[in-house]
Amino acid sequence: MTLLITGATGFIGRHVCARLTRSHDLYAVLRQPETQLPTLRQQVSDLGGQGDRLHAVKGDPDLPGLGLPEDLEAPEAIIHLGARFAWQLDPASAHRTNVAGSLAVAELARRHQSRLVFVSGFMLENHEHLRRLGINNDDPERVDWRRVYRLVGGYEASKLEAAIRVRALASSGDLDLVEVQPATVAGHSDTGSLDTSQPLFALLDNLARGRMAMIPGSPEHWLPLVAVDHLASLMAVAATSDGVPERLLALDPATPSLKGLLAIAADLLGRRAPQRHVPLPLLALLLRLPGLPRLMNTWPEALNFIQPTRFDTAITDAFLREQGLARPSIEAVIVATARWYRQRQ
Ligand SMILES: NC(=O)c1ccc[n+]([C@@H]2O[C@H](COP(=O)([O-])OP(=O)(O)OC[C@H]3O[C@@H](n4cnc5c(N)ncnc54)[C@H](OP(=O)(O)O)[C@@H]3O)[C@@H](O)[C@H]2O)c1
């Protein structure tokens, strides 16, 4: 089976490569293969994969047609993870990489009749949030995208737009699409290791450095999590199995409230857990003060992912059972991640 992956060098991508190279050869679309491939092969082997089963194809989501060679062998599945993942992205570059890049990957999958395992995010299942943003159905032409970018920022808006546009392309044509919708990604369930650029790292860092005196939101608010290795296993079977549902919500419904999450982490970090809540609108207002987001290491856009909505994971639960994949205990994942954070200080 020929598999192609974008975003292989990223936090999730490396774990997906480690998982898939145990049984498959894998072609990674890399922007600078000469320098990136040797490092990635080593990282993949260190994560329990077989680095030598990983091969590189030069390409870039920012280039027309992804800048891929014309004679690319038709892959059976394409896993698309490559994206600009940061707060404060300017809308034009967020759109270029995350929306136009995703559509180019979807076109490639359609041309080669490959399955596309497309990574969106769990907020695509927060229907109340989508309604507030004016995203009422899957018709991208009926959405005021400028408003969406203004309201939620370049990263989230571009992820929402990419998902809605890729879905529209799939429904109008012949595209085998599986959309994986991850929650905020936590560390590895055994080692707890997490990239420093990940949002959960920023949360732990804020807690450890005493920048988290209050809990954003109410007692009902939570930041749904998924362990990176569990997500990687889910994506691997989404690419290689038959009978995969169209959407897989990669979110652990047993994630505690934000208060509970912070209490577990604070205990391991030797900090007092915050007890009082600060309403999100008030916090968002405070974060408008110039310099405060940087000082607090908290960007208003990140607050959208802390919300009270609960999600129905029944379809994913059934698929996990069918595949013999069990979710690791999310409380143990939080403990492992906080312990890993403490040990690296
Ligand atoms: N982590 C989460 O909590 C989370 C949750 C939901 C969804 N997701 C989605 O999952 C995917 C992977 O996330 P991740 O956490 O693994 O991200 P990451 O660590 O930031 O990795 C991003 C990947 O995208 C590649 N990339 C391609 N073009 C890029 C460009 N113009 N600018 C920056 N990077 C570019 C990077 O390659 P280079 O090495 O060449 O820079 C890297 O491989 C993204 O689509 C993200 O939206 C993540």
PDB file of all heavy atoms in Angstrom, residues 309-343:
ATOM      1  N   THR A 309     -19.504  22.817  25.783  1.00  0.00           N
ATOM      2  CA  THR A 309     -20.228  21.843  24.947  1.00  0.00           C
ATOM      3  C   THR A 309     -19.699  20.422  25.166  1.00  0.00           C
ATOM      4  O   THR A 309     -18.495  20.213  25.289  1.00  0.00           O
ATOM      5  CB  THR A 309     -20.050  22.229  23.454  1.00  0.00           C
ATOM      6  OG1 THR A 309     -20.497  23.555  23.303  1.00  0.00           O
ATOM      7  CG2 THR A 309     -20.817  21.295  22.541  1.00  0.00           C
ATOM      8  N   ARG A 310     -20.631  19.477  25.201  1.00  0.00           N
ATOM      9  CA  ARG A 310     -20.263  18.042  25.273  1.00  0.00           C
ATOM     10  C   ARG A 310     -20.479  17.445  23.882  1.00  0.00           C
ATOM     11  O   ARG A 310     -21.321  17.924  23.122  1.00  0.00           O
ATOM     12  CB  ARG A 310     -21.131  17.312  26.302  1.00  0.00           C
ATOM     13  CG  ARG A 310     -20.922  17.831  27.712  1.00  0.00           C
ATOM     14  CD  ARG A 310     -19.715  17.173  28.360  1.00  0.00           C
ATOM     15  NE  ARG A 310     -18.993  18.089  29.232  1.00  0.00           N
ATOM     16  CZ  ARG A 310     -17.860  17.779  29.853  1.00  0.00           C
ATOM     17  NH1 ARG A 310     -17.315  16.594  29.685  1.00  0.00           N
ATOM     18  NH2 ARG A 310     -17.261  18.653  30.626  1.00  0.00           N
ATOM     19  N   PHE A 311     -19.758  16.399  23.560  1.00  0.00           N
ATOM     20  CA  PHE A 311     -19.780  15.880  22.189  1.00  0.00           C
ATOM     21  C   PHE A 311     -20.193  14.410  22.179  1.00  0.00           C
ATOM     22  O   PHE A 311     -19.919  13.666  23.121  1.00  0.00           O
ATOM     23  CB  PHE A 311     -18.388  16.021  21.563  1.00  0.00           C
ATOM     24  CG  PHE A 311     -17.923  17.444  21.470  1.00  0.00           C
ATOM     25  CD1 PHE A 311     -17.287  18.058  22.548  1.00  0.00           C
ATOM     26  CD2 PHE A 311     -18.151  18.187  20.322  1.00  0.00           C
ATOM     27  CE1 PHE A 311     -16.868  19.382  22.476  1.00  0.00           C
ATOM     28  CE2 PHE A 311     -17.737  19.510  20.237  1.00  0.00           C
ATOM     29  CZ  PHE A 311     -17.095  20.109  21.310  1.00  0.00           C
ATOM     30  N   ASP A 312     -20.816  14.027  21.060  1.00  0.00           N
ATOM     31  CA  ASP A 312     -21.245  12.643  20.896  1.00  0.00           C
ATOM     32  C   ASP A 312     -20.144  11.872  20.157  1.00  0.00           C
ATOM     33  O   ASP A 312     -19.895  12.122  18.978  1.00  0.00           O
ATOM     34  CB  ASP A 312     -22.552  12.635  20.085  1.00  0.00           C
ATOM     35  CG  ASP A 312     -23.081  11.225  19.897  1.00  0.00           C
ATOM     36  OD1 ASP A 312     -22.421  10.274  20.356  1.00  0.00           O
ATOM     37  OD2 ASP A 312     -24.152  11.082  19.269  1.00  0.00           O
ATOM     38  N   THR A 313     -19.510  10.944  20.859  1.00  0.00           N
ATOM     39  CA  THR A 313     -18.398  10.207  20.242  1.00  0.00           C
ATOM     40  C   THR A 313     -18.806   8.783  19.845  1.00  0.00           C
ATOM     41  O   THR A 313     -17.935   7.940  19.599  1.00  0.00           O
ATOM     42  CB  THR A 313     -17.185  10.140  21.212  1.00  0.00           C
ATOM     43  OG1 THR A 313     -17.628   9.521  22.432  1.00  0.00           O
ATOM     44  CG2 THR A 313     -16.603  11.489  21.509  1.00  0.00           C
ATOM     45  N   ALA A 314     -20.142   8.515  19.763  1.00  0.00           N
ATOM     46  CA  ALA A 314     -20.611   7.133  19.556  1.00  0.00           C
ATOM     47  C   ALA A 314     -20.022   6.491  18.293  1.00  0.00           C
ATOM     48  O   ALA A 314     -19.614   5.323  18.315  1.00  0.00           O
ATOM     49  CB  ALA A 314     -22.136   7.121  19.511  1.00  0.00           C
ATOM     50  N   ILE A 315     -19.955   7.250  17.193  1.00  0.00           N
ATOM     51  CA  ILE A 315     -19.468   6.667  15.924  1.00  0.00           C
ATOM     52  C   ILE A 315     -17.991   6.290  16.076  1.00  0.00           C
ATOM     53  O   ILE A 315     -17.565   5.186  15.695  1.00  0.00           O
ATOM     54  CB  ILE A 315     -19.683   7.673  14.764  1.00  0.00           C
ATOM     55  CG1 ILE A 315     -21.180   7.837  14.522  1.00  0.00           C
ATOM     56  CG2 ILE A 315     -18.962   7.227  13.494  1.00  0.00           C
ATOM     57  CD1 ILE A 315     -21.548   8.906  13.525  1.00  0.00           C
ATOM     58  N   THR A 316     -17.215   7.180  16.650  1.00  0.00           N
ATOM     59  CA  THR A 316     -15.785   6.891  16.845  1.00  0.00           C
ATOM     60  C   THR A 316     -15.612   5.750  17.840  1.00  0.00           C
ATOM     61  O   THR A 316     -14.752   4.876  17.639  1.00  0.00           O
ATOM     62  CB  THR A 316     -15.047   8.159  17.354  1.00  0.00           C
ATOM     63  OG1 THR A 316     -15.408   9.235  16.505  1.00  0.00           O
ATOM     64  CG2 THR A 316     -13.537   7.977  17.338  1.00  0.00           C
ATOM     65  N   ASP A 317     -16.414   5.743  18.910  1.00  0.00           N
ATOM     66  CA  ASP A 317     -16.310   4.669  19.908  1.00  0.00           C
ATOM     67  C   ASP A 317     -16.498   3.305  19.246  1.00  0.00           C
ATOM     68  O   ASP A 317     -15.741   2.363  19.499  1.00  0.00           O
ATOM     69  CB  ASP A 317     -17.376   4.828  21.008  1.00  0.00           C
ATOM     70  CG  ASP A 317     -17.164   6.084  21.834  1.00  0.00           C
ATOM     71  OD1 ASP A 317     -16.089   6.702  21.718  1.00  0.00           O
ATOM     72  OD2 ASP A 317     -18.087   6.455  22.588  1.00  0.00           O
ATOM     73  N   ALA A 318     -17.524   3.217  18.364  1.00  0.00           N
ATOM     74  CA  ALA A 318     -17.799   1.936  17.695  1.00  0.00           C
ATOM     75  C   ALA A 318     -16.628   1.545  16.794  1.00  0.00           C
ATOM     76  O   ALA A 318     -16.220   0.378  16.755  1.00  0.00           O
ATOM     77  CB  ALA A 318     -19.090   2.049  16.880  1.00  0.00           C
ATOM     78  N   PHE A 319     -16.071   2.526  16.073  1.00  0.00           N
ATOM     79  CA  PHE A 319     -14.938   2.241  15.184  1.00  0.00           C
ATOM     80  C   PHE A 319     -13.716   1.793  15.996  1.00  0.00           C
ATOM     81  O   PHE A 319     -13.008   0.857  15.624  1.00  0.00           O
ATOM     82  CB  PHE A 319     -14.624   3.496  14.352  1.00  0.00           C
ATOM     83  CG  PHE A 319     -13.483   3.310  13.386  1.00  0.00           C
ATOM     84  CD1 PHE A 319     -13.594   2.407  12.328  1.00  0.00           C
ATOM     85  CD2 PHE A 319     -12.302   4.024  13.522  1.00  0.00           C
ATOM     86  CE1 PHE A 319     -12.542   2.231  11.434  1.00  0.00           C
ATOM     87  CE2 PHE A 319     -11.251   3.854  12.637  1.00  0.00           C
ATOM     88  CZ  PHE A 319     -11.370   2.953  11.588  1.00  0.00           C
ATOM     89  N   LEU A 320     -13.485   2.447  17.128  1.00  0.00           N
ATOM     90  CA  LEU A 320     -12.338   2.068  17.987  1.00  0.00           C
ATOM     91  C   LEU A 320     -12.497   0.620  18.458  1.00  0.00           C
ATOM     92  O   LEU A 320     -11.538  -0.159  18.446  1.00  0.00           O
ATOM     93  CB  LEU A 320     -12.236   3.005  19.201  1.00  0.00           C
ATOM     94  CG  LEU A 320     -11.766   4.441  18.929  1.00  0.00           C
ATOM     95  CD1 LEU A 320     -11.869   5.289  20.192  1.00  0.00           C
ATOM     96  CD2 LEU A 320     -10.333   4.465  18.410  1.00  0.00           C
ATOM     97  N   ARG A 321     -13.723   0.272  18.861  1.00  0.00           N
ATOM     98  CA  ARG A 321     -13.988  -1.106  19.319  1.00  0.00           C
ATOM     99  C   ARG A 321     -13.703  -2.099  18.199  1.00  0.00           C
ATOM    100  O   ARG A 321     -13.022  -3.100  18.398  1.00  0.00           O
ATOM    101  CB  ARG A 321     -15.449  -1.244  19.764  1.00  0.00           C
ATOM    102  CG  ARG A 321     -15.661  -0.936  21.245  1.00  0.00           C
ATOM    103  CD  ARG A 321     -17.015  -1.444  21.734  1.00  0.00           C
ATOM    104  NE  ARG A 321     -18.129  -0.942  20.959  1.00  0.00           N
ATOM    105  CZ  ARG A 321     -18.710   0.260  21.153  1.00  0.00           C
ATOM    106  NH1 ARG A 321     -18.273   1.060  22.106  1.00  0.00           N
ATOM    107  NH2 ARG A 321     -19.734   0.644  20.415  1.00  0.00           N
ATOM    108  N   GLU A 322     -14.217  -1.753  17.015  1.00  0.00           N
ATOM    109  CA  GLU A 322     -14.029  -2.623  15.840  1.00  0.00           C
ATOM    110  C   GLU A 322     -12.543  -2.835  15.546  1.00  0.00           C
ATOM    111  O   GLU A 322     -12.125  -3.921  15.157  1.00  0.00           O
ATOM    112  CB  GLU A 322     -14.642  -1.887  14.651  1.00  0.00           C
ATOM    113  CG  GLU A 322     -15.484  -2.683  13.720  1.00  0.00           C
ATOM    114  CD  GLU A 322     -16.066  -1.683  12.725  1.00  0.00           C
ATOM    115  OE1 GLU A 322     -17.141  -1.151  13.050  1.00  0.00           O
ATOM    116  OE2 GLU A 322     -15.447  -1.423  11.676  1.00  0.00           O
ATOM    117  N   GLN A 323     -11.764  -1.798  15.735  1.00  0.00           N
ATOM    118  CA  GLN A 323     -10.324  -1.850  15.423  1.00  0.00           C
ATOM    119  C   GLN A 323      -9.500  -2.364  16.607  1.00  0.00           C
ATOM    120  O   GLN A 323      -8.272  -2.454  16.515  1.00  0.00           O
ATOM    121  CB  GLN A 323      -9.818  -0.447  15.037  1.00  0.00           C
ATOM    122  CG  GLN A 323     -10.424   0.105  13.772  1.00  0.00           C
ATOM    123  CD  GLN A 323     -10.027  -0.712  12.549  1.00  0.00           C
ATOM    124  OE1 GLN A 323      -8.928  -1.251  12.457  1.00  0.00           O
ATOM    125  NE2 GLN A 323     -10.937  -0.830  11.600  1.00  0.00           N
ATOM    126  N   GLY A 324     -10.154  -2.647  17.720  1.00  0.00           N
ATOM    127  CA  GLY A 324      -9.435  -3.108  18.903  1.00  0.00           C
ATOM    128  C   GLY A 324      -8.526  -2.046  19.502  1.00  0.00           C
ATOM    129  O   GLY A 324      -7.491  -2.348  20.101  1.00  0.00           O
ATOM    130  N   LEU A 325      -8.916  -0.785  19.327  1.00  0.00           N
ATOM    131  CA  LEU A 325      -8.117   0.320  19.896  1.00  0.00           C
ATOM    132  C   LEU A 325      -8.830   0.857  21.143  1.00  0.00           C
ATOM    133  O   LEU A 325      -9.996   1.243  21.057  1.00  0.00           O
ATOM    134  CB  LEU A 325      -7.995   1.471  18.901  1.00  0.00           C
ATOM    135  CG  LEU A 325      -7.102   1.293  17.672  1.00  0.00           C
ATOM    136  CD1 LEU A 325      -7.215   2.522  16.776  1.00  0.00           C
ATOM    137  CD2 LEU A 325      -5.656   1.094  18.104  1.00  0.00           C
ATOM    138  N   ALA A 326      -8.116   0.880  22.269  1.00  0.00           N
ATOM    139  CA  ALA A 326      -8.726   1.427  23.483  1.00  0.00           C
ATOM    140  C   ALA A 326      -8.096   2.784  23.775  1.00  0.00           C
ATOM    141  O   ALA A 326      -6.901   2.973  23.560  1.00  0.00           O
ATOM    142  CB  ALA A 326      -8.473   0.482  24.650  1.00  0.00           C
ATOM    143  N   ARG A 327      -8.920   3.719  24.235  1.00  0.00           N
ATOM    144  CA  ARG A 327      -8.346   5.016  24.651  1.00  0.00           C
ATOM    145  C   ARG A 327      -7.555   4.816  25.941  1.00  0.00           C
ATOM    146  O   ARG A 327      -8.064   4.175  26.867  1.00  0.00           O
ATOM    147  CB  ARG A 327      -9.460   6.028  24.946  1.00  0.00           C
ATOM    148  CG  ARG A 327     -10.162   6.555  23.742  1.00  0.00           C
ATOM    149  CD  ARG A 327     -11.034   7.753  24.162  1.00  0.00           C
ATOM    150  NE  ARG A 327     -11.909   8.139  23.074  1.00  0.00           N
ATOM    151  CZ  ARG A 327     -13.156   7.715  22.935  1.00  0.00           C
ATOM    152  NH1 ARG A 327     -13.696   6.923  23.833  1.00  0.00           N
ATOM    153  NH2 ARG A 327     -13.875   8.116  21.919  1.00  0.00           N
ATOM    154  N   PRO A 328      -6.356   5.401  26.030  1.00  0.00           N
ATOM    155  CA  PRO A 328      -5.665   5.349  27.318  1.00  0.00           C
ATOM    156  C   PRO A 328      -6.425   6.222  28.320  1.00  0.00           C
ATOM    157  O   PRO A 328      -7.150   7.132  27.907  1.00  0.00           O
ATOM    158  CB  PRO A 328      -4.294   5.959  27.001  1.00  0.00           C
ATOM    159  CG  PRO A 328      -4.507   6.799  25.783  1.00  0.00           C
ATOM    160  CD  PRO A 328      -5.647   6.195  25.012  1.00  0.00           C
ATOM    161  N   SER A 329      -6.276   5.943  29.623  1.00  0.00           N
ATOM    162  CA  SER A 329      -6.949   6.787  30.621  1.00  0.00           C
ATOM    163  C   SER A 329      -6.451   8.225  30.468  1.00  0.00           C
ATOM    164  O   SER A 329      -5.246   8.488  30.538  1.00  0.00           O
ATOM    165  CB  SER A 329      -6.619   6.271  32.034  1.00  0.00           C
ATOM    166  OG  SER A 329      -6.562   7.364  32.935  1.00  0.00           O
ATOM    167  N   ILE A 330      -7.372   9.155  30.257  1.00  0.00           N
ATOM    168  CA  ILE A 330      -6.949  10.536  29.978  1.00  0.00           C
ATOM    169  C   ILE A 330      -6.359  11.191  31.236  1.00  0.00           C
ATOM    170  O   ILE A 330      -5.469  12.038  31.137  1.00  0.00           O
ATOM    171  CB  ILE A 330      -8.090  11.369  29.343  1.00  0.00           C
ATOM    172  CG1 ILE A 330      -7.536  12.604  28.633  1.00  0.00           C
ATOM    173  CG2 ILE A 330      -9.151  11.732  30.345  1.00  0.00           C
ATOM    174  CD1 ILE A 330      -6.744  12.362  27.400  1.00  0.00           C
ATOM    175  N   GLU A 331      -6.817  10.745  32.402  1.00  0.00           N
ATOM    176  CA  GLU A 331      -6.216  11.315  33.629  1.00  0.00           C
ATOM    177  C   GLU A 331      -4.762  10.876  33.717  1.00  0.00           C
ATOM    178  O   GLU A 331      -3.886  11.660  34.086  1.00  0.00           O
ATOM    179  CB  GLU A 331      -7.017  10.880  34.859  1.00  0.00           C
ATOM    180  CG  GLU A 331      -8.426  11.435  34.789  1.00  0.00           C
ATOM    181  CD  GLU A 331      -9.038  11.749  36.138  1.00  0.00           C
ATOM    182  OE1 GLU A 331      -8.409  11.452  37.160  1.00  0.00           O
ATOM    183  OE2 GLU A 331     -10.154  12.295  36.142  1.00  0.00           O
ATOM    184  N   ALA A 332      -4.489   9.601  33.341  1.00  0.00           N
ATOM    185  CA  ALA A 332      -3.101   9.128  33.355  1.00  0.00           C
ATOM    186  C   ALA A 332      -2.264   9.878  32.311  1.00  0.00           C
ATOM    187  O   ALA A 332      -1.078  10.144  32.530  1.00  0.00           O
ATOM    188  CB  ALA A 332      -3.062   7.623  33.091  1.00  0.00           C
ATOM    189  N   VAL A 333      -2.888  10.249  31.191  1.00  0.00           N
ATOM    190  CA  VAL A 333      -2.174  11.007  30.143  1.00  0.00           C
ATOM    191  C   VAL A 333      -1.824  12.405  30.669  1.00  0.00           C
ATOM    192  O   VAL A 333      -0.714  12.910  30.446  1.00  0.00           O
ATOM    193  CB  VAL A 333      -3.035  11.108  28.854  1.00  0.00           C
ATOM    194  CG1 VAL A 333      -2.412  12.059  27.843  1.00  0.00           C
ATOM    195  CG2 VAL A 333      -3.237   9.727  28.232  1.00  0.00           C
ATOM    196  N   ILE A 334      -2.765  13.022  31.399  1.00  0.00           N
ATOM    197  CA  ILE A 334      -2.489  14.354  31.963  1.00  0.00           C
ATOM    198  C   ILE A 334      -1.334  14.244  32.972  1.00  0.00           C
ATOM    199  O   ILE A 334      -0.412  15.059  32.980  1.00  0.00           O
ATOM    200  CB  ILE A 334      -3.760  14.953  32.631  1.00  0.00           C
ATOM    201  CG1 ILE A 334      -4.869  15.130  31.584  1.00  0.00           C
ATOM    202  CG2 ILE A 334      -3.454  16.277  33.316  1.00  0.00           C
ATOM    203  CD1 ILE A 334      -6.254  15.428  32.169  1.00  0.00           C
ATOM    204  N   VAL A 335      -1.379  13.200  33.795  1.00  0.00           N
ATOM    205  CA  VAL A 335      -0.308  12.989  34.783  1.00  0.00           C
ATOM    206  C   VAL A 335       1.030  12.813  34.060  1.00  0.00           C
ATOM    207  O   VAL A 335       2.029  13.461  34.392  1.00  0.00           O
ATOM    208  CB  VAL A 335      -0.620  11.743  35.670  1.00  0.00           C
ATOM    209  CG1 VAL A 335       0.592  11.330  36.489  1.00  0.00           C
ATOM    210  CG2 VAL A 335      -1.814  12.035  36.578  1.00  0.00           C
ATOM    211  N   ALA A 336       1.048  11.950  33.020  1.00  0.00           N
ATOM    212  CA  ALA A 336       2.303  11.685  32.297  1.00  0.00           C
ATOM    213  C   ALA A 336       2.824  12.973  31.658  1.00  0.00           C
ATOM    214  O   ALA A 336       4.032  13.262  31.692  1.00  0.00           O
ATOM    215  CB  ALA A 336       2.074  10.621  31.223  1.00  0.00           C
ATOM    216  N   THR A 337       1.919  13.780  31.109  1.00  0.00           N
ATOM    217  CA  THR A 337       2.342  15.002  30.417  1.00  0.00           C
ATOM    218  C   THR A 337       2.898  16.023  31.423  1.00  0.00           C
ATOM    219  O   THR A 337       3.949  16.637  31.185  1.00  0.00           O
ATOM    220  CB  THR A 337       1.153  15.610  29.628  1.00  0.00           C
ATOM    221  OG1 THR A 337       0.567  14.589  28.810  1.00  0.00           O
ATOM    222  CG2 THR A 337       1.594  16.743  28.731  1.00  0.00           C
ATOM    223  N   ALA A 338       2.211  16.178  32.554  1.00  0.00           N
ATOM    224  CA  ALA A 338       2.679  17.137  33.567  1.00  0.00           C
ATOM    225  C   ALA A 338       4.013  16.658  34.162  1.00  0.00           C
ATOM    226  O   ALA A 338       4.916  17.461  34.419  1.00  0.00           O
ATOM    227  CB  ALA A 338       1.626  17.304  34.653  1.00  0.00           C
ATOM    228  N   ARG A 339       4.123  15.344  34.371  1.00  0.00           N
ATOM    229  CA  ARG A 339       5.385  14.794  34.911  1.00  0.00           C
ATOM    230  C   ARG A 339       6.524  15.040  33.923  1.00  0.00           C
ATOM    231  O   ARG A 339       7.609  15.454  34.307  1.00  0.00           O
ATOM    232  CB  ARG A 339       5.196  13.290  35.168  1.00  0.00           C
ATOM    233  CG  ARG A 339       6.345  12.670  35.904  1.00  0.00           C
ATOM    234  CD  ARG A 339       6.040  11.264  36.343  1.00  0.00           C
ATOM    235  NE  ARG A 339       5.126  11.201  37.471  1.00  0.00           N
ATOM    236  CZ  ARG A 339       4.149  10.313  37.623  1.00  0.00           C
ATOM    237  NH1 ARG A 339       3.941   9.396  36.683  1.00  0.00           N
ATOM    238  NH2 ARG A 339       3.401  10.312  38.697  1.00  0.00           N
ATOM    239  N   TRP A 340       6.246  14.818  32.636  1.00  0.00           N
ATOM    240  CA  TRP A 340       7.257  15.058  31.598  1.00  0.00           C
ATOM    241  C   TRP A 340       7.659  16.540  31.608  1.00  0.00           C
ATOM    242  O   TRP A 340       8.835  16.872  31.515  1.00  0.00           O
ATOM    243  CB  TRP A 340       6.698  14.655  30.224  1.00  0.00           C
ATOM    244  CG  TRP A 340       7.585  15.053  29.091  1.00  0.00           C
ATOM    245  CD1 TRP A 340       8.650  14.370  28.578  1.00  0.00           C
ATOM    246  CD2 TRP A 340       7.513  16.281  28.350  1.00  0.00           C
ATOM    247  NE1 TRP A 340       9.231  15.084  27.561  1.00  0.00           N
ATOM    248  CE2 TRP A 340       8.555  16.265  27.408  1.00  0.00           C
ATOM    249  CE3 TRP A 340       6.663  17.394  28.393  1.00  0.00           C
ATOM    250  CZ2 TRP A 340       8.773  17.312  26.514  1.00  0.00           C
ATOM    251  CZ3 TRP A 340       6.887  18.429  27.519  1.00  0.00           C
ATOM    252  CH2 TRP A 340       7.927  18.384  26.586  1.00  0.00           C
ATOM    253  N   TYR A 341       6.656  17.428  31.740  1.00  0.00           N
ATOM    254  CA  TYR A 341       6.949  18.872  31.771  1.00  0.00           C
ATOM    255  C   TYR A 341       7.897  19.178  32.947  1.00  0.00           C
ATOM    256  O   TYR A 341       8.890  19.878  32.783  1.00  0.00           O
ATOM    257  CB  TYR A 341       5.648  19.683  31.917  1.00  0.00           C
ATOM    258  CG  TYR A 341       5.919  21.157  32.105  1.00  0.00           C
ATOM    259  CD1 TYR A 341       5.972  22.012  31.015  1.00  0.00           C
ATOM    260  CD2 TYR A 341       6.191  21.685  33.379  1.00  0.00           C
ATOM    261  CE1 TYR A 341       6.280  23.357  31.173  1.00  0.00           C
ATOM    262  CE2 TYR A 341       6.494  23.015  33.545  1.00  0.00           C
ATOM    263  CZ  TYR A 341       6.531  23.850  32.444  1.00  0.00           C
ATOM    264  OH  TYR A 341       6.849  25.170  32.614  1.00  0.00           O
ATOM    265  N   ARG A 342       7.564  18.616  34.131  1.00  0.00           N
ATOM    266  CA  ARG A 342       8.364  18.920  35.329  1.00  0.00           C
ATOM    267  C   ARG A 342       9.806  18.406  35.153  1.00  0.00           C
ATOM    268  O   ARG A 342      10.757  19.085  35.480  1.00  0.00           O
ATOM    269  CB  ARG A 342       7.722  18.269  36.549  1.00  0.00           C
ATOM    270  CG  ARG A 342       8.291  18.764  37.875  1.00  0.00           C
ATOM    271  CD  ARG A 342       7.817  17.925  39.020  1.00  0.00           C
ATOM    272  NE  ARG A 342       8.156  16.521  38.810  1.00  0.00           N
ATOM    273  CZ  ARG A 342       7.544  15.507  39.380  1.00  0.00           C
ATOM    274  NH1 ARG A 342       6.540  15.718  40.211  1.00  0.00           N
ATOM    275  NH2 ARG A 342       7.924  14.272  39.173  1.00  0.00           N
ATOM    276  N   GLN A 343       9.930  17.186  34.604  1.00  0.00           N
ATOM    277  CA  GLN A 343      11.267  16.586  34.491  1.00  0.00           C
ATOM    278  C   GLN A 343      12.171  17.320  33.515  1.00  0.00           C
ATOM    279  O   GLN A 343      13.382  17.272  33.627  1.00  0.00           O
ATOM    280  CB  GLN A 343      11.141  15.105  34.091  1.00  0.00           C
ATOM    281  CG  GLN A 343      10.773  14.265  35.304  1.00  0.00           C
ATOM    282  CD  GLN A 343      10.269  12.887  34.932  1.00  0.00           C
ATOM    283  OE1 GLN A 343      10.160  12.557  33.761  1.00  0.00           O
ATOM    284  NE2 GLN A 343       9.946  12.095  35.940  1.00  0.00           N
TER     285      GLN A 343
END
